[in-house]
Amino acid sequence: MIDINSLKFNNNGLIPAIIQDFNNKEVLMLGYMNKKSLKLTIESGKTWFYSRSRQKLWNKGETSGNFHEVMSIKHDCDMDCLLVEVIPNGPTCHTGNYSCFYKRVYNKDIENIEEDKIFDLLYTRIVDRKKFSKDNSYTRYLFNSGVDKILKKVGEEASEVIIAAKNDSKEEVIYEVVDLIYHLMVLLVEKDIILSDIKREMINRYR
């Protein structure tokens, strides 16, 4: 444990705090803390921030109920940034998405991927995560957690598709359907079902 006063807050008395999922290591959001909100975070075990726009303290989940259970707080080598590992109780983003970082700016070689091959490429990557990867990826986390966790996520994502459709947002429906397809593919890999099995069944039904 270090003295909070030894951290390097900026001229406005703030320090950036990266919020990361404790289990799968995905980045959930970026917020700013002052000394008071950091103390409240440590004391309460829930994330507190300082709103630069409203100029007041705020407790994540106070309105939505989607609190963060704080597991650890680390600082970087320059002591001017925090990494807060949490267990989220629901979506972090105010849009209802799991993470605030859900819109892509750049992805290496994404423009060279042929649309008709994307499902096979995704399936292959998921297989690779299960059989060979030892990293802390979200896919690896799902496999480590077992089939019950995977089934829970499939159910949750199916519900998100329904909610998105009821909201009448085409963009939201597309986003949630992709989430559902991904988790269904994880389930297929877990059950050793290959895409060809699915394609053959679809062909049989099409006939």
Side-chain angles (χ1 to χ4, degrees):
M1 293 288 291
I2 68 164
D3 182 0
I4 289 177
N5 294 314
S6 65
L7 293 171
K8 296 178 182 177
F9 294 84
N10 65 20
N11 293 335
N12 295 316
L14 302 176
I15 188 170
I18 301 166
I19 311 302
Q20 182 182 52
D21 190 309
F22 176 76
N23 289 313
N24 60 39
K25 307 307 178 185
E26 288 206 32
V27 175
L28 301 177
M29 63 171 284
L30 171 68
Y32 287 84
M33 296 182 177
N34 58 12
K35 289 182 181 179
K36 187 171 182 179
S37 63
L38 179 53
K39 288 178 181 177
L40 284 170
T41 297
I42 295 171
E43 292 169 359
S44 68
K46 301 289 188 297
T47 50
W48 282 79
F49 302 95
Y50 183 83
S51 171
R52 293 172 297 169
S53 59
R54 292 175 292 165
Q55 296 191 331
K56 60 182 290 188
L57 296 175
W58 65 282
N59 178 208
K60 171 63 183 152
E62 187 174 20
T63 302
S64 65
N66 299 329
F67 293 99
H68 289 153
E69 180 183 352
V70 178
M71 304 303 291
S72 76
I73 301 176
K74 305 171 185 175
H75 62 75
D76 70 340
C77 54
D78 293 323
M79 301 183 74
D80 60 2
C81 183
L82 299 176
L83 177 64
V84 184
E85 294 184 304
V86 305
I87 295 177
N89 179 30
T92 289
C93 186
H94 73 281
T95 62
N97 285 293
Y98 163 72
S99 166
C100 292
F101 297 94
Y102 64 93
K103 292 193 175 181
R104 196 179 305 276
V105 175
Y106 169 79
N107 194 42
K108 185 177 181 181
D109 295 333
I110 194 169
E111 298 300 330
N112 297 323
I113 297 176
E114 297 179 32
E115 288 186 3
D116 60 347
K117 293 181 179 179
I118 187 59
F119 290 106
D120 292 303
L121 290 170
L122 176 58
Y123 184 89
T124 300
R125 176 170 291 183
I126 292 172
V127 170
D128 180 74
R129 289 286 193 274
K130 180 181 183 183
K131 292 186 176 180
F132 308 111
S133 176
K134 295 182 180 179
D135 60 17
N136 292 319
S137 69
Y138 177 61
T139 305
R140 185 68 255 175
Y141 159 71
L142 287 175
F143 287 125
N144 288 342
S145 299
V147 69
D148 286 345
K149 179 65 175 181
I150 296 172
L151 292 173
K152 183 173 182 290
K153 291 302 298 181
V154 169
E156 289 176 356
E157 297 304 337
S159 297
E160 292 294 333
V161 171
I162 294 170
I163 294 170
K166 293 291 288 184
N167 290 339
D168 200 25
S169 168
K170 182 178 179 180
E171 183 181 43
E172 190 178 349
V173 171
I174 292 170
Y175 183 87
E176 298 300 346
V177 165
V178 171
D179 271 355
L180 177 58
I181 290 172
Y182 159 76
H183 286 91
L184 283 172
M185 283 200 179
V186 171
L187 178 60
L188 292 180
V189 173
E190 176 67 15
K191 292 297 183 180
D192 294 322
I193 299 171
I194 60 177
L195 286 185
S196 295
D197 295 333
I198 304 299
K199 292 175 182 178
R200 277 195 297 270
E201 179 61 22
M202 291 185 74
I203 290 171
N204 289 336
R205 294 191 186 193
Y206 182 77
R207 290 171 181 163

